[in-house]
Amino acid sequence: RPDLVLNDPSSIEALLNRPKIKIAEAITGGIAMGKQGFLLAGARLVQGALKSQFFTQLGREIHQMIELGKIPQDYARHQYGFESLVEIMQFIDEQSLTADRFLAIKAMFFATNAIDTEEGEKILNYQLFRLSMNLSSSQLLILKISYDLYQQKHWPDPTANSSAQGWVKLIAEKSGHGVLTLVSKDEKALMDFGFISERLHPDKSGIDVRSARLTDLGLKF
């Protein structure tokens, strides 16, 4: 019964360290299928290896956090502990993950299960954890850039730099790719999630630059 294993913290590390792929079988099967099959097998091997690495890293860090007293030893029996553990394991297994996405989701997982967390904060952290699983690498980067701007008080005057297009251009430059269309696509998703404020005016040409456009939810995240 998976619930018995997952609710037993002593079993977590062993469970997460199980190999997720059989390399020899994948290679043999790929060769048998010819060139295209071998390429597909290679892609599965790479993704499988990454998944295995993420599982192993998660298990190791859970053990470390328990040892450091950051999360309780029986965290899986606490509020949202079991739910968040199942969800992060399913996410690693089902999604094509990058290191930065894994880092953000893992941080939210540990925040959800942090020791001596008040009930209200735990509820918030769990909701942020679930939201984090919907964010792409580029959307996470926009939030990081926005938070850096907020800390630097880049827009101390609420009336300054209030052009939506100016915001898109600035984020594109700081993202390093300079592609405004990519930022505009991610901007819509971040507005829908409630992390950044909506555009202003009938023509949607303005923005509220207070808090570098981060909402209260965006700042908490």
Side-chain angles (χ1 to χ4, degrees):
R1 289 178 54 190
D3 57 326
L4 293 180
V5 176
L6 293 174
N7 272 296
D8 179 9
S10 64
S11 302
I12 295 298
E13 191 171 358
L15 177 66
L16 292 173
N17 279 319
R18 288 180 183 173
K20 294 292 167 186
I21 54 172
K22 296 180 180 179
I23 294 177
E25 290 182 10
I27 292 176
T28 302
I31 292 173
M33 292 168 62
K35 181 180 177 181
Q36 185 63 27
F38 189 76
L39 291 174
L40 291 172
R44 287 197 298 269
L45 280 174
V46 171
Q47 189 58 46
L50 286 172
K51 288 178 187 292
S52 182
Q53 178 183 334
F54 290 142
F55 273 109
T56 301
Q57 185 177 346
L58 177 63
R60 184 170 56 246
E61 292 190 27
I62 286 175
H63 179 73
Q64 291 173 346
M65 295 292 270
I66 291 173
E67 289 285 304
L68 292 170
K70 300 291 186 181
I71 63 174
Q73 186 172 8
D74 61 344
Y75 73 92
R77 295 188 177 95
H78 288 234
Q79 186 181 23
Y80 301 123
F82 177 71
E83 293 92 333
S84 61
L85 178 61
V86 170
E87 288 172 23
I88 194 171
M89 291 177 68
Q90 287 179 332
F91 187 78
I92 293 172
D93 194 48
E94 296 170 1
Q95 297 289 319
S96 295
L97 273 179
T98 56
D100 49 357
R101 289 186 77 197
F102 178 61
L103 181 65
I105 294 160
K106 186 177 58 177
M108 290 290 94
F109 169 78
F110 286 126
T112 299
N113 292 287
I115 202 164
D116 296 332
T117 304
E118 296 292 333
E119 183 178 358
E121 186 179 357
K122 186 176 284 286
I123 292 171
L124 171 63
N125 288 342
Y126 179 62
Q127 294 304 316
L128 290 173
F129 163 72
R130 300 197 71 187
L131 283 171
S132 71
M133 292 189 282
N134 295 294
L135 297 177
S136 68
S137 296
S138 56
Q139 289 160 6
L140 288 166
L141 178 59
I142 289 176
L143 290 177
K144 181 183 183 302
I145 291 169
S146 298
Y147 190 67
D148 288 343
L149 293 171
Y150 167 74
Q151 289 186 307
Q152 297 164 11
K153 300 191 183 301
H154 184 81
W155 283 312
D157 181 358
T159 65
N161 300 306
S162 57
S163 161
Q165 194 63 15
W167 179 88
V168 170
K169 182 178 179 182
L170 175 65
I171 298 297
E173 290 172 353
K174 288 188 172 292
S175 295
H177 54 67
V179 181
L180 276 62
T181 304
L182 290 178
V183 175
S184 295
K185 289 174 60 111
D186 284 333
E187 176 193 21
K188 184 180 185 307
L190 291 172
M191 287 190 297
D192 289 342
F193 286 126
F195 285 126
I196 63 174
S197 58
E198 297 284 340
R199 289 194 176 198
L200 305 174
H201 311 315
D203 61 357
K204 305 298 183 184
S205 63
I207 54 170
D208 182 348
V209 296
R210 290 175 295 181
S211 301
R213 209 182 165 186
L214 290 169
T215 63
D216 55 350
L217 185 66
L219 287 170
K220 286 287 187 181
F221 184 79

